[in-house]
């Protein structure tokens, strides 16, 4: 019988989940979880720019954009988003920026794993993946920008 350690099992399950989520979301322009139509898991995308941190949005301040619901923490942030949604929406529809670039595939973006680069919001799958992405942000952005249009057509 083969013995598998707890760490190895966690890695296998994480990889399986990563691969499964990438196929589930194929064809979507905006990442929403399997059981929700909220973009960015319901976080206020304007708050990343104005408060420098992830802030949960409220159903009280909601709009629809590109087939997803976007929640905000205030009427002011909702108004800012409505005025310029492309400025505040995450790149690659909120999918993991590293997966789009490195794997030419989709994976869920975690709203707590984020970076703003040149005025654009990028999300990553988890802390480990974010660390990989941060080793060559300009390179991954260049590759991701090339890969993203093709992923939209899948």
């Amino acid at each position: 019988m083969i013995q598998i350690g707890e760490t190895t099992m966690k890695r296998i399950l994480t990889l399986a989940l990563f691969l499964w989520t990438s196929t589930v979301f194929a064809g979507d322009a905006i990442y929403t979880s399997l059981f929700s139509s909220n973009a960015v898991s319901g976080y206020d995308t304007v708050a990343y720019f104005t408060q420098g941190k992830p802030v949960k949005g409220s159903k009280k301040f909601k709009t629809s954009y590109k087939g997803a619901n976007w929640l905000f923490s205030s009427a002011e942030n909702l108004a800012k988003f409505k005025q310029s949604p492309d400025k505040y929406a995450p790149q690659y529809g909120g999918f993991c920026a590293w997966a789009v670039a490195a794997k030419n595939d989709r994976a869920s973006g975690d709203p707590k794993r984020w970076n703003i680069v040149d005025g654009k919001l990028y999300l990553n799958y988890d802390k480990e993946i974010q660390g990989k992405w941060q080793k060559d942000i300009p390179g991954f952005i260049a590759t991701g920008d090339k890969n993203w249009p093709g992923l939209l057509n899948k």
Side-chain angles (χ1 to χ4, degrees):
M1 178 176 267
I2 299 173
Q3 296 289 324
I4 298 176
E6 184 177 338
T7 301
T8 301
M9 183 57 76
K10 284 182 183 178
R11 286 184 178 153
I12 290 169
L13 292 173
T14 298
L15 177 61
L17 181 63
F18 185 83
L19 294 172
W20 177 78
T21 57
S22 67
T23 59
V24 168
F25 307 118
D28 294 337
I30 303 294
Y31 168 72
T32 60
S33 71
L34 189 58
F35 302 107
S36 171
S37 59
N38 293 336
V40 195
S41 300
Y43 279 79
D44 178 344
T45 57
V46 175
Y48 290 99
F49 295 90
T50 60
Q51 297 179 38
K53 65 181 181 179
V55 175
K56 272 296 223 182
S58 166
K59 290 180 182 178
K60 184 177 175 183
F61 309 110
K62 178 173 101 171
T63 193
S64 180
Y65 176 67
K66 292 189 176 180
N69 293 323
W70 298 74
L71 306 181
F72 300 90
S73 59
S74 69
E76 180 182 355
N77 284 3
L78 171 60
K80 285 181 180 182
F81 184 85
K82 283 182 167 183
Q83 185 176 18
S84 188
D86 288 334
K87 177 179 179 178
Y88 297 108
Q91 299 303 291
Y92 316 130
F95 288 92
C96 174
W98 179 85
V100 169
K103 298 296 181 184
N104 196 18
D105 208 347
R106 299 170 196 241
S108 58
D110 181 345
K112 294 180 182 175
R113 299 292 165 206
W114 61 280
N115 288 93
I116 294 177
V117 180
D118 296 329
K120 296 179 181 181
L121 176 63
Y122 295 88
L123 303 179
N124 287 114
Y125 179 75
D126 63 15
K127 184 177 182 178
E128 180 182 349
I129 295 298
Q130 185 179 37
K132 291 179 180 183
W133 189 73
Q134 290 174 334
K135 289 179 182 174
D136 184 16
I137 290 174
F140 285 126
I141 289 174
T143 304
D145 288 350
K146 289 177 187 172
N147 292 347
W148 182 240
L151 289 173
L152 286 174
N153 295 324
K154 281 188 175 180

